[in-house]
Amino acid sequence: MDVSKTTVKLSINGKTVQAEIEPRMLLVEFIRHVAELTGTHIGCDTSYCGACTVMIDGRAVKSCTHLAIQAQGKSIQTVESLADPDGTLSALQKCFSENHALQCGFCTPGFLIASTALLAENPDLDEFDVRKGLAGNTCRCTGYTPIVDAVLAASELRKS
């Protein structure tokens, strides 16, 4: 079966990436294999874990549930965009580090992006808001409390 290819031009972290792809290519595959940004992880292949979370036009989205062609004309932000170009961590990334909100690190990019979107939506969060807002992301190592603490710490920083 010959699948025709289509040209896709995406804006990822402010840079244009264009390629000929099969129309059925998932956005997570485009990000990892075409754009060569490997911070976005493929975790469960069912959209359960959230390791593939990216932002599309400012909203957290599981990139394993979107076709790359669906993102054409939209702004995509991956975990690689959070730190400054010189490697200086964002306030949220620092809070994750300071609160020991990562262990193996596999789920961390998805949590960071989901948290970034959550903080942009509501900078004045409480524990319930954080737990509800991150319910679509799974971590098998931390027990979630350090992740919640990190997001709450970042929320406090935004207030000051």
Side-chain angles (χ1 to χ4, degrees), residues 4 9 22 27 30 34 48 61 65 76 83 85 103 109 131 143 146:
S4 63
K9 187 175 176 181
E22 292 183 7
L27 179 57
F30 188 94
V34 176
Y48 174 79
V61 172
T65 64
I76 301 161
Q103 285 184 21
R131 289 187 182 278

Side-chain angles (χ1 to χ4, degrees), residues 34-102:
V34 176
E36 296 182 343
L37 296 170
T38 57
T40 303
H41 293 156
I42 299 171
C44 63
D45 291 328
T46 64
S47 80
Y48 174 79
C49 74
C52 67
T53 303
V54 299
M55 285 197 294
I56 300 178
D57 290 342
R59 295 184 54 115
V61 172
K62 293 180 181 180
S63 60
C64 72
T65 64
H66 276 70
L67 297 173
I69 59 174
Q70 291 175 296
Q72 187 143 268
K74 299 180 180 177
S75 176
I76 301 161
Q77 186 178 352
T78 70
V79 70
E80 287 89 351
S81 71
L82 298 183
D84 290 337
D86 68 359
T88 302
L89 298 179
S90 70
L92 178 62
Q93 288 172 307
K94 288 177 187 172
C95 288
F96 263 65
S97 177
E98 292 164 2
N99 286 277
H100 309 287
L102 51 96

Side-chain angles (χ1 to χ4, degrees), residues 65-160:
T65 64
H66 276 70
L67 297 173
I69 59 174
Q70 291 175 296
Q72 187 143 268
K74 299 180 180 177
S75 176
I76 301 161
Q77 186 178 352
T78 70
V79 70
E80 287 89 351
S81 71
L82 298 183
D84 290 337
D86 68 359
T88 302
L89 298 179
S90 70
L92 178 62
Q93 288 172 307
K94 288 177 187 172
C95 288
F96 263 65
S97 177
E98 292 164 2
N99 286 277
H100 309 287
L102 51 96
Q103 285 184 21
C104 80
F106 192 82
C107 67
T108 306
F111 271 104
L112 284 167
I113 289 293
S115 298
T116 298
L118 184 62
L119 287 162
E121 205 175 282
N122 178 9
D124 188 24
L125 299 167
D126 61 23
E127 182 179 347
F128 176 80
D129 295 328
V130 174
R131 289 187 182 278
K132 182 179 178 188
L134 298 180
N137 292 70
T138 302
C139 176
R140 292 181 174 99
C141 300
T142 65
Y144 298 99
T145 299
I147 295 169
V148 172
D149 291 345
V151 178
L152 290 172
S155 177
E156 285 301 316
L157 284 175
R158 286 179 171 244
K159 293 179 196 175
S160 54

